[in-house]
Amino acid sequence: MEFYNKVGKMAIGSRLRGLSDMITTDAAQLYHIYGVDIQPRWWPVFYVLTQTNENSITVIAREIGQSHASVSQVVREMVKCGFVTERKNKHDQRKNFVSLTEKGKAAAMKLNDQHEDVSAAINQAFSESQYDLWKAIEEWEYLLEQKSLLRRVQEEKKKREGGKVEIINYTPEHKQAFKQLNEEWITQYFRMEESDHKALDHPDEYIIDKGGHIFMAVYEGDVVGACAIIKMDDKKYELAKMAVSPKAQGKSIGTLLGRACIDKAKELGADTVYLESNTMLKPAINLYLKLGFEKITGPPSPYERSNIQMELKV
């Protein structure tokens, strides 16, 4: 208990395993008390078979929420000890059907009293506790079905690391990083085009001096992302040249850069932000949708790689 109090909720898995081991150890002794020599982990399979004359391993696995392989192993152990018998389906040799033997049926009769006594004991324990463990387990199962613990931890990691990202204004010293970040992703999927060279080789002339703006993303002292807004007219800007270093992906950098550019466009008087992309870049498309962009049919693109145009009203 001292260990769990010290470590806290991050040890929830270990603590639940400890509780499970405690109950399983008692359960193993309980079967002996009632004169039935079965293993606690057999019980779900055993119970399902007491409710039906015969069942397939596939149906049993679905019923108790365990894998086919796990149920197959339990069945083999039960067959070896004489509690169940197994046969192949006449019409489908891949399916095995399982049923209780006479020994298994006799054990089931003995377990009726055990079930009654165990239920009463658990209910008494529940009445002595402040919280309803059964309802809490049901609630946790539901919550983890909606969003797994892995997904929840990944989101917290992304949030924590995203908090370390700093979005700063472009300065001439960022020129090489701006070019390198964009060349890296463009050449990974496509080829550099004339419009790329103009904007990346001369960002001041082709973006900033024409009324646009460039943001850079810095993570733990390193420049890891970039994004620009290019002025199209007084009310419309293009979101362009968004790039995030592969070593820094998964930290919400694209989202932070996109929002910074959208906010800047609004500040400059825009009512529309436009962009061009390619549908094979699924993470980028998902990001744009998340930012509120919608697919449109716009003017012909100067880029060969562009096959989708999107727009956001701000």
Side-chain angles (χ1 to χ4, degrees):
M1 291 299 294
E2 184 179 348
F3 168 76
Y4 293 124
N5 289 333
K6 180 180 179 180
V7 175
K9 295 181 178 65
M10 66 179 294
I12 186 171
S14 297
R15 190 162 190 176
L16 288 173
R17 278 193 297 274
L19 179 61
S20 176
D21 289 344
M22 189 187 306
I23 294 173
T24 301
T25 299
D26 282 350
Q29 297 182 55
L30 282 171
Y31 289 116
H32 291 299
I33 290 174
Y34 289 86
V36 180
D37 190 22
I38 72 171
Q39 300 297 319
R41 74 190 197 95
W42 297 356
W43 186 83
V45 174
F46 192 88
Y47 177 81
V48 170
L49 291 173
T50 63
Q51 306 303 302
T52 57
N53 293 326
E54 188 177 57
N55 233 324
S56 71
I57 290 178
T58 300
V59 171
I60 295 171
R62 190 186 312 125
E63 179 78 12
I64 65 178
Q66 294 184 12
S67 68
H68 189 282
S70 176
V71 172
S72 294
Q73 184 178 353
V74 168
V75 167
R76 285 195 295 270
E77 293 174 4
M78 295 175 75
V79 168
K80 186 176 180 180
C81 293
F83 286 96
V84 301
T85 184
E86 190 176 13
R87 70 172 181 84
K88 294 284 186 184
N89 184 301
K90 292 180 181 178
H91 305 293
D92 187 348
Q93 292 296 303
R94 296 171 300 175
K95 289 185 178 180
N96 285 13
F97 282 82
V98 185
S99 58
L100 291 175
T101 61
E102 290 304 316
K103 180 179 179 181
K105 292 175 183 178
M109 293 295 293
K110 292 181 181 179
L111 288 179
N112 285 334
D113 289 340
Q114 179 191 353
H115 292 165
E116 183 178 342
D117 294 346
V118 169
S119 294
I122 291 174
N123 285 333
Q124 174 152 4
F126 278 0
S127 69
E128 295 171 4
S129 64
Q130 183 178 353
Y131 306 104
D132 190 321
L133 178 62
W134 195 256
K135 288 184 178 179
I137 291 173
E138 287 180 341
E139 185 176 17
W140 265 75
E141 287 172 341
Y142 171 78
L143 291 172
L144 294 179
E145 281 176 5
Q146 304 307 303
K147 186 189 293 186
S148 71
L149 181 59
L150 173 62
R151 170 90 178 275
R152 292 169 188 271
V153 173
Q154 288 173 327
E155 289 180 355
E156 291 301 320
K157 177 177 182 288
K158 192 172 184 178
K159 190 188 303 181
R160 175 179 54 79
E161 292 180 340
K164 296 180 181 179
V165 176
E166 186 181 4
I167 305 300
I168 62 174
N169 294 318
Y170 170 90
T171 63
E173 68 183 32
H174 296 130
K175 180 178 178 180
Q176 184 58 35
F178 179 62
K179 179 178 180 179
Q180 185 176 334
L181 285 164
N182 275 282
E183 280 188 342
E184 188 173 21
W185 80 262
I186 293 171
T187 55
Q188 180 180 354
Y189 298 101
F190 310 103
R191 69 174 185 85
M192 292 285 288
E193 300 179 39
E194 183 182 353
S195 295
D196 293 315
H197 288 294
K198 286 180 179 179
L200 298 178
D201 290 339
H202 309 283
D204 289 275
E205 180 182 351
Y206 281 89
I207 299 175
I208 295 174
D209 293 347
K210 292 183 178 181
H213 197 86
I214 302 173
F215 287 104
M216 308 300 292
V218 178
Y219 179 73
E220 295 186 336
D222 294 329
V223 176
V224 294
C227 191
I229 51 166
I230 301 173
K231 186 174 182 179
M232 300 177 73
D233 59 45
D234 287 342
K235 293 295 183 181
K236 190 171 184 177
Y237 283 76
E238 180 183 1
L239 181 76
K241 297 296 177 278
M242 179 183 284
V244 176
S245 171
K247 67 181 181 181
Q249 289 175 358
K251 297 175 173 51
S252 299
I253 293 173
T255 301
L256 294 170
L257 284 168
R259 286 176 179 162
C261 284
I262 292 168
D263 289 343
K264 187 65 177 180
K266 280 196 248 184
E267 180 187 318
L268 294 173
D271 60 19
T272 303
V273 179
Y274 167 86
L275 66 83
E276 297 176 354
S277 188
N278 188 290
T279 50
M280 72 175 289
L281 304 173
K282 290 188 177 5
I285 300 300
N286 288 335
L287 168 61
Y288 301 142
L289 291 171
K290 179 181 174 183
L291 290 171
F293 284 86
E294 296 180 351
K295 183 182 180 302
I296 63 161
T297 301
S301 171
Y303 293 100
E304 290 180 8
R305 63 177 177 265
S306 173
N307 71 354
I308 185 172
Q309 297 163 311
M310 305 180 80
E311 203 171 74
L312 171 68
K313 296 297 182 181
V314 296

